[in-house]
């Protein structure tokens, strides 16, 4: 009889900026029954996978926290990832945050940055960011934790990984305001500022894109529905390709000036179309609600 095909070993590399929440993510993954190894030298990844492979049908999902604490060992991480066996599915989760957020976190715990040496905390952050640029660009998932506390980050990780086997892609649709900066963890960004701004309509200013009067106004403008329908159609092959390439998480962001009216209405309308696609689970986040 032919040998029964075996489930592929899954390995999640948790990395990113020091102070961005790696320990919190590791704890959340442990709660989801992942086998988590902290501060693992990249050279130990392959032996760890081979050890897990001996578990046979009980292969655990492995999460390895790898970062600059590994010093010289860390430099070969990307090369080691590329050399992993074909039967192993390797993904990289990169945690990021703004320099200001990281400085505040290090100051609050009164600990030095691992790369600051005789310099300042910011010196260490800038040195680490320079070393991390290529890895961040090649990561499968990027999460910006600047505005998240440890409980919110744990919830985010739980939502993204708890039921990922039931969906080809877990899609985060995010509205945001350009005046507050573009989201650093977005895979794709669209601009809703081509539409008239309800902020300048007195009776709509105090409402949001979640309200029917604002939504009707935004979606009733020339080009609005054409944008939503065309963009949704253009995303179909992208999301199908993500599933083929085993990219299980994606973030698509739509911005307007303040993230309160146009981007919210467009995001909600786009979600109604994308959630009908096979293998796609949609989660909506309005990043800048309440900031105006």
């Amino acid at each position: 009889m032919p040998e029964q095909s075996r489930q592929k070993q899954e390995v999640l590399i948790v990395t990113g900026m020091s102070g961005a929440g790696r320990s919190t993510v590791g704890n959340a993954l442990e709660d989801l029954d992942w086998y988590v190894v902290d501060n693992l030298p990249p050279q130990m990844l392959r032996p760890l996978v081979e050890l897990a492979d001996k578990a046979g049908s009980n292969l655990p999902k492995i999460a390895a926290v790898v970062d600059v604490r590994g010093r010289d060992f860390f430099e070969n991480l990307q090369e080691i990832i590329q050399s992993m066996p074909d039967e192993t599915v390797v993904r990289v989760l990169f945690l990021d945050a703004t320099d200001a957020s990281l400085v505040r976190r290090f100051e609050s715990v009164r600990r030095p940055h691992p790369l600051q040496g005789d310099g300042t905390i910011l010196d260490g952050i800038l040195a680490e960011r320079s070393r991390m640029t290529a890895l961040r660009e090649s990561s499968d998932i990027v999460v910006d934790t600047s505005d998240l506390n440890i409980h919110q980050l744990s919830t985010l990780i739980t939502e993204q990984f708890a039921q990922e086997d039931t969906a080809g892609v877990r899609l985060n649709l995010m509205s945001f305001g350009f005046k507050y900066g573009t989201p650093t963890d977005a895979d794709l960004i669209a601009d809703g500022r081509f539409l008239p701004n309800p902020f300048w309509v007195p009776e709509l200013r105090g409402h949001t894109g979640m309200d029917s009067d604002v939504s009707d106004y935004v979606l009733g403008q020339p080009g609005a529905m054409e944008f939503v329908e065309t963009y949704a159609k253009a995303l179909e092959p992208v999301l199908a390709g993500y599933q083929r390439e085993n990219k299980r998480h994606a973030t698509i962001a739509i911005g307007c000036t303040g993230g309160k009216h146009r981007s919210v209405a467009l995001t909600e309308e786009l979600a109604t179309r994308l959630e009908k696609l096979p293998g796609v689970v949609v989660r909506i986040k309005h990043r800048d609600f309440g900031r105006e």
Side-chain angles (χ1 to χ4, degrees):
M1 294 180 63
E3 182 179 352
Q4 186 176 5
S5 61
R6 300 183 62 188
Q7 181 182 359
K8 285 192 173 185
Q9 175 67 59
E10 293 190 55
V11 178
L12 179 68
I13 308 296
V14 180
T15 188
M17 297 295 294
S18 300
R22 292 187 307 258
S23 297
T24 298
V25 170
N27 291 336
L29 291 171
E30 278 191 340
D31 291 340
L32 296 174
D33 293 328
W34 286 67
Y35 184 78
V36 179
V37 183
D38 188 27
N39 197 17
L40 183 74
Q43 289 77 2
M44 295 300 297
L45 273 173
R46 193 175 189 114
L48 180 62
V49 170
E50 292 172 351
L51 180 63
D53 189 56
K54 294 180 180 179
S57 60
N58 297 317
L59 293 178
K61 294 181 178 181
I62 297 173
V65 181
V66 181
D67 52 69
V68 294
R69 290 175 296 171
R71 302 183 184 277
D72 293 340
F73 293 121
F74 181 76
E75 299 299 328
N76 299 324
L77 177 58
Q78 288 180 285
E79 180 180 329
I80 292 170
I81 291 173
Q82 294 172 358
S83 68
M84 294 292 284
D86 293 338
E87 60 271 17
T88 302
V89 178
V90 181
R91 291 178 290 162
V92 178
L93 167 61
F94 191 99
L95 301 173
D96 203 352
T98 63
D99 293 348
S101 297
L102 295 174
V103 168
R104 286 196 299 270
R105 291 171 188 177
F106 276 103
E107 288 179 341
S108 67
V109 297
R110 299 178 182 242
R111 295 194 63 183
H113 187 281
L115 295 185
Q116 77 179 70
D118 295 330
T120 66
I121 292 175
L122 183 58
D123 290 333
I125 292 171
L126 296 178
E128 182 179 28
R129 197 174 294 284
S130 176
R131 293 175 63 177
M132 289 286 196
T133 299
L135 180 59
R136 186 189 190 283
E137 292 175 351
S138 63
S139 295
D140 300 283
I141 311 166
V142 178
V143 176
D144 185 349
T145 70
S146 302
D147 298 322
L148 303 177
N149 60 37
I150 59 174
H151 306 294
Q152 292 168 330
L153 178 56
S154 295
T155 298
L156 175 65
I157 295 301
T158 300
E159 290 176 347
Q160 290 204 349
F161 287 92
Q163 299 177 338
E164 65 172 14
D165 290 336
T166 65
V169 178
R170 295 184 66 81
L171 178 63
N172 294 318
L173 280 183
M174 178 192 302
S175 69
F176 72 95
F178 279 98
K179 66 188 291 184
Y180 303 113
T182 56
T184 61
D185 51 350
D187 296 285
L188 299 169
I189 294 178
D191 189 350
R193 292 175 295 182
F194 68 95
L195 298 171
N197 192 348
F199 179 84
W200 301 113
V201 180
E203 58 269 27
L204 299 180
R205 180 176 300 177
H207 295 199
T208 76
M210 296 289 291
D211 298 316
S212 59
D213 52 353
V214 174
S215 179
D216 290 345
Y217 175 86
V218 171
L219 299 177
Q221 298 299 320
M225 290 304 297
E226 180 183 0
F227 163 77
V228 172
E229 293 166 0
T230 304
Y231 195 37
K233 191 68 177 176
L235 288 172
E236 288 186 24
V238 174
L239 296 175
Y242 282 168
Q243 295 183 59
R244 289 193 301 271
E245 295 299 315
N246 200 41
K247 181 176 174 61
R248 298 186 181 181
H249 306 275
T251 298
I252 296 175
I254 300 179
C256 62
T257 302
K260 179 179 179 180
H261 298 111
R262 292 166 291 180
S263 62
V264 173
L266 291 171
T267 297
E268 291 285 335
E269 187 64 23
L270 182 63
T272 64
R273 287 159 171 75
L274 297 183
E275 64 188 4
K276 298 175 183 177
L277 298 179
V280 177
V281 173
V282 176
R283 174 179 176 268
I284 298 174
K285 177 182 179 181
H286 299 304
R287 191 192 73 175
D288 295 324
F289 253 24
R291 299 184 77 163
E292 283 200 359

